[in-house]
Amino acid sequence: MNKTDLNFLKHFALVIGGLVLLALVLIVAARAIYQQHPAEPSPQQTAHIDQRIAPVAAVYSGETGKAAMETAKAAALEAAKGQVAYDGSVDGSFVYGKLCSACHGTGVAGAPTLTKANWAARQTQGFELLVSHAVNGYQGAAGIMPARGGNPALSEDQVKATVRWMLDNLEN
């Protein structure tokens, strides 16, 4: 072998040695990074996370959406039948103080406060229509009235007694 061949073999051996050393460094680095990677979560943990981040409501459109919304509303009303708000009290003052005063006491979301001026036009519509709006919910130009004041466990008798109490206690 001549000197040129020996020189080539030395350089070639150095390059191969450098590549082997680089491969070993990369293997060690990959193992270190992989050990820091979190383990796969258990299926129970994944199901629990999915349940916690599930949307509260859904968006529906068209006839299918309308049917789904009606089904959901019926299911909510059925579930609420087993529950009675405020121990079934039909004391309008009590229910107003616990639920209705949050909006009607301050005028939030366009809710009329208990003054005769705010209720004059509404009273001309009739007591039964006011009760219907309170039971089923209503959205008018001035604001929105959630069904049963936002408490589906409130019975129609409780709503009716509370509307009657509110009308009887209007201030000047």
Side-chain angles (χ1 to χ4, degrees):
M1 256 202 240
N2 63 23
K3 282 187 165 186
T4 311
D5 289 340
L6 284 176
N7 201 14
F8 170 77
L9 287 176
K10 282 183 190 178
H11 288 320
F12 184 72
L14 283 174
V15 168
I16 295 297
L19 289 174
V20 168
L21 184 62
L22 177 65
L24 290 174
V25 168
L26 290 175
I27 290 170
V28 170
R31 287 194 64 146
I33 290 171
Y34 179 74
Q35 287 175 350
Q36 292 176 353
H37 189 290
E40 286 291 319
S42 69
Q44 294 87 2
Q45 184 181 17
T46 304
H48 182 67
I49 290 170
D50 290 344
Q51 181 183 11
R52 285 189 311 188
I53 64 173
V56 175
V59 177
Y60 299 103
S61 64
E63 290 303 314
T64 304
K66 186 176 180 180
M69 286 174 33
E70 291 299 322
T71 303
K73 184 177 178 182
L77 287 174
E78 188 64 34
K81 283 183 182 176
Q83 304 170 358
V84 179
Y86 311 118
D87 294 327
S89 173
V90 288
D91 178 5
S93 171
F94 179 75
V95 175
Y96 175 82
K98 290 287 188 180
L99 180 66
C100 308
S101 63
C103 296
H104 288 284
T106 60
V108 170
T113 56
L114 296 184
T115 61
K116 289 183 181 180
N118 287 338
W119 285 87
R122 289 173 176 86
Q123 283 183 303
T124 61
Q125 297 173 341
F127 179 74
E128 292 304 319
L129 183 62
L130 293 176
V131 170
S132 174
H133 287 172
V135 169
N136 301 315
Y138 178 74
Q139 184 167 359
I144 186 168
M145 170 68 198
R148 299 174 191 266
N151 185 345
L154 208 61
S155 72
E156 284 192 41
D157 290 336
Q158 289 174 305
V159 172
K160 190 178 284 191
T162 306
V163 171
R164 171 60 56 210
W165 182 89
M166 290 171 68
L167 293 174
D168 290 345
N169 289 282
L170 296 177
E171 299 173 358
N172 288 329

PDB file of all heavy atoms in Angstrom, residues 51 77 89 112:
ATOM      1  N   GLN A  51     -65.592  14.253  29.331  1.00  0.00           N
ATOM      2  CA  GLN A  51     -66.843  14.625  29.998  1.00  0.00           C
ATOM      3  C   GLN A  51     -66.750  16.058  30.550  1.00  0.00           C
ATOM      4  O   GLN A  51     -67.699  16.822  30.464  1.00  0.00           O
ATOM      5  CB  GLN A  51     -67.143  13.647  31.126  1.00  0.00           C
ATOM      6  CG  GLN A  51     -68.429  13.936  31.860  1.00  0.00           C
ATOM      7  CD  GLN A  51     -68.637  12.975  33.022  1.00  0.00           C
ATOM      8  OE1 GLN A  51     -67.742  12.232  33.401  1.00  0.00           O
ATOM      9  NE2 GLN A  51     -69.826  13.010  33.576  1.00  0.00           N
ATOM     10  N   LEU A  77     -88.014  19.378  31.207  1.00  0.00           N
ATOM     11  CA  LEU A  77     -89.260  19.538  31.971  1.00  0.00           C
ATOM     12  C   LEU A  77     -89.611  18.257  32.723  1.00  0.00           C
ATOM     13  O   LEU A  77     -90.082  18.306  33.865  1.00  0.00           O
ATOM     14  CB  LEU A  77     -90.398  19.952  31.043  1.00  0.00           C
ATOM     15  CG  LEU A  77     -90.351  21.394  30.530  1.00  0.00           C
ATOM     16  CD1 LEU A  77     -91.448  21.640  29.516  1.00  0.00           C
ATOM     17  CD2 LEU A  77     -90.449  22.374  31.682  1.00  0.00           C
ATOM     18  N   SER A  89     -93.550  26.094  47.708  1.00  0.00           N
ATOM     19  CA  SER A  89     -94.196  27.292  48.258  1.00  0.00           C
ATOM     20  C   SER A  89     -94.887  28.093  47.151  1.00  0.00           C
ATOM     21  O   SER A  89     -94.294  28.362  46.110  1.00  0.00           O
ATOM     22  CB  SER A  89     -93.164  28.180  48.948  1.00  0.00           C
ATOM     23  OG  SER A  89     -93.757  29.408  49.338  1.00  0.00           O
ATOM     24  N   PRO A 112     -88.798  44.555  33.761  1.00  0.00           N
ATOM     25  CA  PRO A 112     -89.457  45.714  34.372  1.00  0.00           C
ATOM     26  C   PRO A 112     -89.395  45.630  35.896  1.00  0.00           C
ATOM     27  O   PRO A 112     -89.662  44.593  36.484  1.00  0.00           O
ATOM     28  CB  PRO A 112     -90.898  45.605  33.875  1.00  0.00           C
ATOM     29  CG  PRO A 112     -91.082  44.157  33.563  1.00  0.00           C
ATOM     30  CD  PRO A 112     -89.747  43.648  33.120  1.00  0.00           C
TER      31      PRO A 112
END
